[in-house]
Amino acid sequence: MSESGLNKLLPSINIDQLRASCSACTMHHLCLPMGLGEPDMKKLDQIIGRRRKIPKHSLLFRSDEPFTNLYAIRLGHFKTFQLSPNGEEQITGFQMAGELLGMDAIGSEQHRCDAIALEDSEVCEIPYLRLEELFGHMPTLLHHFHRMMSQEITREQDVMLLLGTMRAEQRFAAFLVNLASRYAARGYAPYNFQLRMSREEIGNYLGLTIESISRLLSRFKKNGLLRVANREIEMLDPVRLKAMAAGTESCD
Amino acid sequence: MSESGLNKLLPSINIDQLRASCSACTMHHLCLPMGLGEPDMKKLDQIIGRRRKIPKHSLLFRSDEPFTNLYAIRLGHFKTFQLSPNGEEQITGFQMAGELLGMDAIGSEQHRCDAIALEDSEVCEIPYLRLEELFGHMPTLLHHFHRMMSQEITREQDVMLLLGTMRAEQRFAAFLVNLASRYAARGYAPYNFQLRMSREEIGNYLGLTIESISRLLSRFKKNGLLRVANREIEMLDPVRLKAMAAGTESCD
DNA sequence: CGCGCAATTGACTGCCCTCAAAAAGCGTGG
DNA sequence: CCACGCTTTTTGAGGGCAGTCAATTGCGCG
């Protein structure tokens, strides 16, 4: 059936808008429109810009670019990283569907990190100035936006704790447990997932080397904590992994 | 002259309000009211709660407490820290006058860290819900609040870079350079200041031990980078220290 | 002066990094 | 299908940076 034919049957619904609308998005319960009623969600829809496909390994934005949009991830995974003055790279986060990219750029009005898709992905462009205009009339939206920024702050504090106090084994366990809980929140099997990032990227994020990550994977496998096949992970003993992440247990 | 006598001479000015007002505060160009006109600043003043004195080493708020207020530091210094599940402490930041405490609590509606005064300090209590009500009518205030939250995100990203990629010497240089720039922004001599925190606290923040900090201080002193007397610091070679922080130079 | 705490210094250890080589994936093209 | 080259990952051996442990020194304060 052609699109125009469908439009005749359902004259009040525009297919393009349906595709583009927050209410039709599977992530709206986690994303910016969380908790909004239908009318508010429509207003938000109206300011949201293009829906962009970002192919694997391509750039969403680059550090020092002027900031105009936030990006809500509809589909896929990203990494964000910073370059130090002497050229060293630090991955500051891995983001997945329902999460917001670019909040760190509001303060300086230019991006402070690069964002790269780890797989073929899709984002919604959210023009920031228009979003701020909406806030005046939509306290619920504003409140949830503040929650999301605040959660980004606490997420980073958790990483500081990880990098500042934990040994390699604990860091890696915490990393896996964190992924599991985020997949659970999205309705995916928490203990079976594909790593979207390379060993090198994991190591960089955790302040370790690729060799350390590889050794940890082997150790966890040997101790019956994980099944590992390339990037496919199965957490065989989540309880023990959580205990390791909490620092109350250690493997051999 | 008595206060009431003064009030007769200047009947339109209330001394208490003067003391309590943002416009009279030396930090208003850095703090929440940055960029506000007189009328808006007055509205903000009206919602600001008590001005509280926080004695040295005492607690402003504690992790898991319900979140009701943000705190603007009027005077003094604080540290914030998190406890890991197994009891390890990680200092997530040192805050000084003009900076905001508690933004990490918005997301979960309870505090996520402890905040302790490093010296006798003063804060302004900002009831968060009333602040959000103001945002609807004061876009400038809202915008600057977002800038402050965003800057907190980038500050933490910088710490992640530090903890993830830098060697001890570079971390410590970066720490000192950061303090210098923040004192400069406040109109203080950037290269002469008192450390408000112990060696142990510095080490904790930087993911190092107290012994390492002590050794670094000795090394920097020996190489003519610093003059050190207890907690009194003089940066003798800021250029070189900045180069070390950037990772383009190293000391012996 | 003497006590207690904070900071310094030294000797040694160990975790993780570095360097290196082998193995495993993976896409391409014959 | 396999051969080939390239990249990623694994595994091993050895070294170094910062941690640990311990003793000493310095400083503030009653």
Side-chain angles (χ1 to χ4, degrees):
Chain A
M1 185 184 279
S2 74
E3 199 175 282
S4 65
L6 187 60
N7 275 340
K8 272 177 193 161
L9 283 175
L10 303 165
S12 64
I13 296 180
N14 176 312
I15 289 289
D16 281 343
Q17 286 214 345
L18 220 185
R19 250 193 283 137
S21 76
C22 287
S23 48
C25 177
T26 55
M27 285 299 141
H28 74 163
H29 64 295
L30 286 173
C31 189
L32 196 54
M34 174 178 149
L36 294 185
E38 261 304 318
D40 279 355
M41 224 180 271
K42 266 192 185 146
K43 282 189 217 153
L44 179 58
D45 275 335
Q46 278 162 16
I47 69 151
I48 287 185
R50 287 177 294 166
R51 199 132 295 148
R52 284 175 55 191
K53 287 186 196 298
I54 313 294
K56 182 171 182 173
H57 294 157
S58 68
L59 208 63
L60 176 58
F61 53 77
R62 185 193 300 276
S63 195
D64 299 331
E65 274 178 14
F67 165 68
T68 52
N69 297 303
L70 294 172
Y71 298 94
I73 304 177
R74 249 174 97 70
L75 194 81
H77 286 72
F78 285 79
K79 68 169 173 178
T80 49
F81 60 94
Q82 245 186 320
L83 292 174
S84 72
N86 59 339
E88 285 207 89
E89 181 175 322
Q90 172 68 37
I91 294 176
T92 51
F94 297 113
Q95 296 82 15
M96 53 179 76
E99 295 175 342
L100 227 46
L101 286 164
M103 293 185 292
D104 53 341
I106 296 170
S108 58
E109 289 173 342
Q110 50 184 38
H111 285 286
R112 303 296 296 250
C113 58
D114 293 28
I116 287 184
L118 295 174
E119 59 185 332
D120 288 349
S121 301
E122 281 182 46
V123 299
C124 299
E125 236 175 43
I126 307 174
Y128 179 67
L129 288 179
R130 302 198 62 189
L131 183 65
E132 264 198 357
E133 287 166 17
L134 272 197
F135 288 149
H137 317 107
M138 295 172 55
T140 309
L141 178 67
L142 178 60
H143 186 70
H144 189 245
F145 179 64
H146 290 167
R147 288 174 58 95
M148 289 184 88
M149 287 201 95
S150 175
Q151 280 160 8
E152 176 64 12
I153 293 172
T154 62
R155 182 192 72 77
E156 289 180 1
Q157 285 173 354
D158 291 343
V159 178
M160 288 175 63
L161 182 68
L162 179 146
L163 292 173
T165 71
M166 296 184 191
R167 317 233 123 264
E169 181 182 293
Q170 194 182 355
R171 291 184 198 191
F172 188 55
F175 170 74
L176 293 172
V177 168
N178 173 268
L179 283 182
S181 78
R182 288 156 76 195
Y183 287 126
R186 281 158 184 76
Y188 297 121
Y191 304 135
N192 274 283
F193 52 84
Q194 269 238 58
L195 295 172
R196 319 297 164 128
M197 63 295 284
S198 67
R199 310 281 195 264
E200 178 142 43
E201 288 165 332
I202 298 172
N204 180 301
Y205 179 59
L206 299 177
L208 301 169
T209 58
I210 181 176
E211 293 95 329
S212 292
I213 300 301
S214 186
R215 278 184 248 272
L216 285 164
L217 274 168
S218 302
R219 184 145 104 234
F220 283 19
K221 195 157 60 171
K222 197 183 65 185
N223 288 49
L225 294 164
L226 292 181
R227 179 169 304 146
V228 184
N230 302 320
R231 294 190 172 191
E232 198 69 38
I233 294 283
E234 183 178 359
M235 291 170 64
L236 296 172
D237 194 343
V239 173
R240 189 122 177 272
L241 282 165
K242 280 170 198 165
M244 288 173 60
T248 52
E249 202 165 324
S250 152
C251 101
D252 86 30
Chain B
M1 186 185 280
S2 73
E3 198 176 283
S4 64
L6 186 60
N7 276 340
K8 270 175 196 161
L9 285 174
L10 302 165
S12 63
I13 296 179
N14 175 310
I15 289 288
D16 281 344
Q17 285 213 345
L18 221 184
R19 248 193 286 140
S21 76
C22 288
S23 47
C25 177
T26 54
M27 285 299 142
H28 73 164
H29 64 294
L30 286 173
C31 190
L32 196 55
M34 173 177 150
L36 294 186
E38 261 304 319
D40 278 355
M41 226 182 268
K42 265 192 186 144
K43 282 188 217 155
L44 178 57
D45 275 335
Q46 277 163 16
I47 70 150
I48 287 184
R50 289 175 295 165
R51 199 132 294 149
R52 285 174 56 190
K53 288 186 196 297
I54 313 295
K56 182 171 180 172
H57 293 157
S58 68
L59 208 64
L60 175 58
F61 54 76
R62 187 192 300 275
S63 194
D64 299 331
E65 275 179 13
F67 165 67
T68 52
N69 298 302
L70 294 172
Y71 298 94
I73 304 176
R74 247 175 98 72
L75 194 82
H77 285 72
F78 285 79
K79 67 168 173 177
T80 48
F81 60 95
Q82 244 187 322
L83 292 173
S84 71
N86 59 337
E88 285 207 89
E89 182 176 320
Q90 172 68 37
I91 294 176
T92 49
F94 297 112
Q95 296 81 16
M96 52 178 76
E99 296 176 341
L100 226 46
L101 286 165
M103 293 184 292
D104 54 342
I106 296 170
S108 58
E109 289 174 341
Q110 50 184 41
H111 286 286
R112 303 295 297 247
C113 60
D114 292 27
I116 287 184
L118 295 173
E119 60 185 331
D120 289 350
S121 302
E122 281 182 46
V123 299
C124 299
E125 236 175 44
I126 306 173
Y128 179 68
L129 289 179
R130 301 198 63 189
L131 182 66
E132 266 199 355
E133 287 165 17
L134 272 196
F135 288 148
H137 317 105
M138 296 173 54
T140 310
L141 178 66
L142 178 60
H143 187 71
H144 189 243
F145 179 64
H146 290 168
R147 288 174 59 95
M148 290 185 86
M149 287 202 94
S150 175
Q151 279 159 8
E152 175 64 11
I153 292 173
T154 62
R155 182 192 72 76
E156 289 181 2
Q157 284 174 354
D158 291 344
V159 178
M160 287 175 65
L161 183 68
L162 179 146
L163 292 173
T165 71
M166 296 185 191
R167 319 230 124 264
E169 181 183 291
Q170 195 182 355
R171 292 185 197 190
F172 188 55
F175 170 73
L176 293 172
V177 168
N178 174 268
L179 283 182
S181 77
R182 286 156 76 196
Y183 287 125
R186 281 158 185 76
Y188 297 121
Y191 304 134
N192 273 284
F193 52 84
Q194 270 237 59
L195 295 171
R196 320 297 163 126
M197 63 296 285
S198 67
R199 310 281 196 266
E200 178 143 42
E201 287 165 334
I202 297 172
N204 180 300
Y205 179 60
L206 299 178
L208 301 168
T209 58
I210 181 176
E211 292 95 331
S212 292
I213 300 301
S214 187
R215 278 183 248 271
L216 286 164
L217 275 168
S218 302
R219 182 144 105 236
F220 283 18
K221 195 157 61 171
K222 197 183 64 185
N223 288 49
L225 294 163
L226 293 181
R227 180 169 302 148
V228 184
N230 302 322
R231 293 190 174 191
E232 198 69 39
I233 295 283
E234 183 178 358
M235 290 171 63
L236 296 172
D237 194 342
V239 172
R240 189 122 177 273
L241 281 166
K242 280 170 198 167
M244 287 172 62
T248 52
E249 202 165 323
S250 153
C251 99
D252 83 31

